[in-house]
Amino acid sequence: MGSAIYFRRDKWAAMVASVWIQCTSGSSYCFGIYSPLIKSTQSYDQSTLDSVAFFKDVGANIGVLSGFLYSSIAGGKNSMAVLSAGAVQCFAGYFLMWLSVTGAVPRPSSSLMCFYMFLAAHSQTFFNTADVVTAVENFPGNRGTVVGIMKGFLGLSGAVLVHTYRAFFAGNPSSFLLMLSLLPTLVSLLLMFFVRVHHTDEGDDLKYLNTFSFISMAVAAYLMLVIIGEDFITFQTPIRFLIFSFLLVLLLSPLTILLKAQLSKNENPSECSLHAEIRLLEATNPPGNMDREIAGDINLLHAMRTCEFWLLFLVMACAMGSGLATVNNISQIGASLGYSGMETSTLVSLWSIWNFLGRFGAGFISDYFLRKKGCARPIFIAITLLAMSFGHAVISSGLPGSLHLGSVLVGVCYGAQWSLMPTITSELFGIKYFGTIFNAVAIASPVGSYVLSVRLVGYVYDIETSSGVEACTGKHCFALSFLVMSFVTMVGFAVSLVLCCRTREIYKKFMLIRPLS
């Protein structure tokens, strides 16, 4: 018991526990695996399925409630409360969906199914808020890196869950829904006691964080090799168990970082100096003209009165909305272009890899350029939006291999937003209300998804099948939709340049309070 308490009070134990929770909490990224089952068992058309996907996006991205809950509970138990609330929602949502698709209960209305999906996906915001905010609180001097690691493992979680499913329930997507109701719930409940804030600075944080980065890259590389290998080799059940076992070893390897950090830990009276300095300087950064100079640690209502908040919101609506529209329809896009079920499943799994690379890479690279070159972080949003626009244009062409190349570009750039946006939010508005504000900005994701996925992609697709054809085939099914999304992301690129200009002076001042080591 004493050993458990010792680890619980260490920020590296919190980091390891948060990484493991993130690895199982990205079930919303697996929608492409079980969406055909929902469509067939519930007799939905494409617009209705896109409506279910929209409520998934709403649930997975409207995390203001989790942010308020985290900020309102003091005494170090905020993470436990948030994770517990997430576990309850995860189990309830996916379990009710499983009962529905298996026929254990009468077929629910589409509105009720949308509610089940919302509830299941909403749990992800609670897991994510607890893990990301705790990590930023524990490592304020390396916030871009830790956000990239947390968001990166969340991006990988889709592939992790899919390979767990294939090892134990291959070919039975209804069992996958049951697994999604149990696995993230149990993992979060078992590990929530370790996810706590510890304001300590041991001097070599970056060294250990780089090891986390290396492990995440190793997991991503391994998953990518397995996913690509499945295109050429049909793995039998024993091989799938072996693949899963090695993946489990990789996911357990962060324990070595915890052990090394504990062994080399050297307590000293000034261990809180770095954290205290950063918090003091952020909190005392005086508010001038709120359109040009943003104060540290301001609340949500104060943040919403700034132009920077709404510029960031609009940019995220363009980027995240178009990214979600892509992943939500990737199975149908593949089918329209003649891809097999295994190929579309592979694309869904690979999306998790590209999502990870964007999340991890944007956090790590932007942190490096900010620390070493003084480069403002919003410029990376502009770069990724430009590449994203090109990716949508590639998919719209319908040429051979276009979906593979386009999904890589869109997946990486979409993932990058989930690392850049929270980090920029913490830098512009401070850490105290960080969980609430970044979740408020994230509402842009379902807003953009509704407009682009439901009102654009679903509407155009149903027009193409209005003549009585059950499924649309050919590149014309999605060509117009993705051309429009290419234009939308170019608009986002232009807005991001405005954000870069408006925050340039803010980042110059931020560099004065940020540790340069």
Side-chain angles (χ1 to χ4, degrees), residues 38-113:
I38 294 175
K39 186 177 182 180
S40 61
T41 60
Q42 308 303 303
S43 302
Y44 291 162
D45 59 17
Q46 187 61 33
S47 289
T48 306
L49 184 65
D50 281 338
S51 295
V52 176
F54 166 69
F55 277 90
K56 169 186 71 70
D57 298 337
V58 171
N61 294 287
I62 297 185
V64 177
L65 181 60
S66 63
F68 276 126
L69 181 61
Y70 189 97
S71 301
S72 62
I73 298 177
K77 296 184 178 179
N78 40 15
S79 297
M80 291 176 57
V82 174
L83 289 171
S84 298
V88 171
Q89 293 176 79
C90 180
F91 175 76
Y94 280 115
F95 190 70
L96 289 170
M97 290 174 64
W98 174 72
L99 292 176
S100 300
V101 300
T102 56
V105 297
R107 196 177 83 179
S109 64
S110 59
S111 299
L112 195 55
M113 181 63 77

Side-chain angles (χ1 to χ4, degrees), residues 155-452:
L156 284 176
S157 63
V160 171
L161 290 169
V162 166
H163 282 287
T164 305
Y165 155 68
R166 288 178 177 173
F168 296 97
F169 310 107
N172 189 357
S174 62
S175 296
F176 186 42
L177 284 172
L178 180 61
M179 186 193 86
L180 293 179
S181 72
L182 295 174
L183 183 59
T185 300
L186 293 174
V187 170
S188 61
L189 290 177
L190 288 172
L191 297 177
M192 65 182 183
F193 303 100
F194 295 89
V195 183
R196 299 173 67 94
V197 174
H198 308 275
H199 294 153
T200 61
D201 174 35
E202 295 157 20
D204 51 2
D205 287 352
L206 193 57
K207 178 182 72 174
Y208 294 120
L209 291 176
N210 285 340
T211 307
F212 271 103
S213 299
F214 175 78
I215 290 173
S216 67
M217 291 294 292
V219 173
Y222 174 70
L223 287 171
M224 185 169 64
L225 288 174
V226 172
I227 292 168
I228 293 174
E230 289 176 330
D231 278 343
F232 302 96
I233 304 172
T234 301
F235 295 131
Q236 301 301 317
T237 301
I239 300 299
R240 291 195 179 280
F241 275 118
L242 186 62
I243 290 171
F244 173 76
S245 299
F246 190 72
L247 174 62
L248 190 61
V249 170
L250 286 175
L251 294 177
L252 291 174
S253 60
L255 277 174
T256 60
I257 303 174
L258 173 59
L259 294 175
K260 290 179 180 179
Q262 290 286 345
L263 290 174
S264 64
K265 191 173 181 181
N266 182 21
E267 299 288 352
N268 60 77
S270 61
E271 65 177 1
C272 296
S273 60
L274 175 60
H275 289 68
E277 180 182 1
I278 293 174
R279 292 171 180 280
L280 178 62
L281 287 170
E282 285 186 345
T284 56
N285 184 25
N289 180 350
M290 284 305 298
D291 280 340
R292 303 296 299 161
E293 183 177 353
I294 299 178
D297 286 340
I298 63 178
N299 61 32
L300 176 60
L301 293 178
H302 199 175
M304 291 178 69
R305 292 200 295 267
T306 67
C307 183
E308 283 74 11
F309 177 92
W310 293 108
L311 287 172
L312 187 59
F313 186 93
L314 180 57
V315 169
M316 291 302 108
C318 296
M320 295 178 175
S322 64
L324 283 174
T326 302
V327 69
N328 287 343
N329 293 280
I330 199 166
S331 294
Q332 287 73 31
I333 298 170
S336 71
L337 295 176
Y339 288 67
S340 67
M342 176 59 73
E343 286 176 316
T344 55
S345 178
T346 299
L347 284 172
V348 172
S349 297
L350 282 174
W351 176 274
S352 294
I353 305 300
W354 315 140
N355 196 0
F356 158 78
L357 289 175
R359 291 168 184 248
F360 168 74
F364 186 86
I365 293 171
S366 65
D367 232 17
Y368 173 82
F369 278 94
L370 178 64
R371 185 187 301 113
K372 301 296 184 182
K373 309 294 184 181
C375 183
R377 215 181 294 268
I379 192 64
F380 291 95
I381 291 183
I383 294 171
T384 53
L385 272 165
L386 190 61
M388 195 177 218
S389 179
F390 179 70
H392 287 310
V394 169
I395 294 176
S396 73
S397 70
L399 296 173
S402 60
L403 185 56
H404 286 86
L405 176 59
S407 65
V408 171
L409 290 171
V410 176
V412 170
C413 296
Y414 168 76
Q417 313 310 316
W418 282 111
S419 178
L420 294 170
M421 182 273 288
T423 311
I424 291 171
T425 301
S426 73
E427 290 164 348
L428 297 183
F429 306 111
I431 294 178
K432 186 175 182 180
Y433 301 101
F434 165 54
T436 305
I437 297 174
F438 100 78
N439 277 308
V441 177
I443 295 175
S445 181
V447 170
S449 173
Y450 175 76
V451 174
L452 297 175

